[in-house]
Amino acid sequence: MNSAEEIWQSVLELLKDRLTPTALSTWFDECKVIDINESRMVILIPTDFKRSVVEARFKGYIKDALREIFSGDFDVLLVGEKESKNITNPPEQKPSDLSGNDYYTFENFIVGPSNSFAHAAAKAVAEEQTKAYNPLFIYGESGLGKTHLLYAIRHEIRRKHPDYNIVFVRGNDFMNELITAIQMGKNIDFREKYRSADLFLMDDIQIIAGKNSTQEEFFHTFNTLYEAQKQIVFTSDRPPSEMYTLADRLRTRFESGLLADIQPPDYETRTAIIKNKSIQLGMILPDDVVNYIAENMTSNVRQLEGAVKKIRAYRDLSQGENSEITVTSVARIIKDMFKEKTAYIPTPDDIIEETAKYYGLTSAELRGQSRTRNTTLARQIAMYQIRRLTNLSLQDIGGLFEGRDHSTVLTSIKKIENSMTEELNQTIKDITANINARG
Ligand code: ADP
Ligand code: MG
């Protein structure tokens, strides 16, 4: 069920059709829902006079609206400050936007054919129905709900087992923490932290592909937890088979659990998501507007959410007749979001940054003069990639690196081309995937 405040916003939307704006703002401005269950809504109205007017004149409207929303009858109880103290359940907080850990629950996840398998798998894990889905590996493109599901699992397990040591870590943080731990000689602490988890959730694991020292440590963490029969869940923007420089033993482990992919939502699911998100934000959009958005925005859920937020901001900021939400106004508001995404052309900075990251270096180190083996190779790869993925001239590329001209760039590129082993080829594929994931 939605939070009390969200339901109240939906009630107000319906009342707008029946009451004048003046009546609404005069009598309902102090209303605050402080409790709701299946059969009763409790509303706090601090001013006695307002409370008595709402009681006498508007309570029936509120009940009608609730019946419309839930297809069921509700009691409506209006209380003042003093009585409200006796209502035990604290009011739920409305998420101020559509984010925050408390928002990412199973209840707020809309299920459709594109994500039902991943959803069911995540739910089974959260409900501890089986130990067979271990590890659970959820993959799919950006903005389709992977992180949402991971948080939902955490939410559920935390509720059931407040004593569990739940570790939630992003692949990137795991890697950075590990690097720091090694530098500070704190490997033991690092191990202890991760290997004592009762539930291990790792978001965006694709980042560890190719990073040998990270993979090594990760492998041991994984084994320890796996052998202790602790549940493990990963998300990734690609399946294990496309993480090119993943150690084979890790790939085998990942594939021995359950792989669940998420696809972009179909039309029906998009409609359901748009409706749900707008209700959560206190709006009920006309059907033709919902359909319009669903027809035009097809790629991912984050984008749908962005459109709904933009429409609400527009509604909140504009006054009077301009604020009406119609297909025409919506088309204007979200016009720039429709633009077909043209093929992503990475910038040289993106390429340098991703290549550096892959080798555990900073962009500055890569651009600089250091000649350690690792840095030299990384620099050559970066030059090769910039040449391949952008239309910069050799001279321009040289200008991106300290003290290099077109001839050193050419030498570097040749070097890479001439030593293209299977391993190097896979490394380049992984870096390219990381670069494209930014687009
Ligand atoms: P990913 O991790 O796959 O890039 P996220 O989990 O961050 O994507 O989802 C992006 C946004 O879209 C989040 O705000 C999330 O709540 C929302 N979202 C994605 N899928 C759904 C869904 N099926 N139902 C409701 N919201 C969704
Ligand atoms: Mg994510």
Side-chain angles (χ1 to χ4, degrees), residues 353-368:
E353 200 180 317
E354 284 305 328
T355 312
K357 253 208 227 157
Y358 190 89
Y359 284 95
L361 302 166
T362 64
S363 297
E365 284 168 326
L366 203 72
R367 291 173 190 272

Side-chain angles (χ1 to χ4, degrees), residues 98-99 103-112 114-115 119 138-151 203-204 235-236 262 265 269 273 276-277 280 300-305 309:
L98 299 172
S99 59
Y103 173 72
Y104 296 122
T105 58
F106 284 114
E107 285 152 23
N108 287 332
F109 191 85
I110 309 290
V111 184
S114 58
N115 59 27
H119 172 262
I138 301 172
Y139 67 92
E141 281 163 33
S142 169
L144 298 181
K146 302 182 296 294
T147 302
H148 189 134
L149 285 178
L150 207 57
Y151 275 124
D203 203 12
D204 290 323
T235 72
S236 167
I262 304 190
T269 314
I273 290 172
N276 176 279
K277 303 271 171 190
Q280 305 250 14
N300 77 51
V301 181
R302 190 172 286 129
Q303 195 191 28
L304 293 176
E305 212 174 82
K309 285 180 183 166

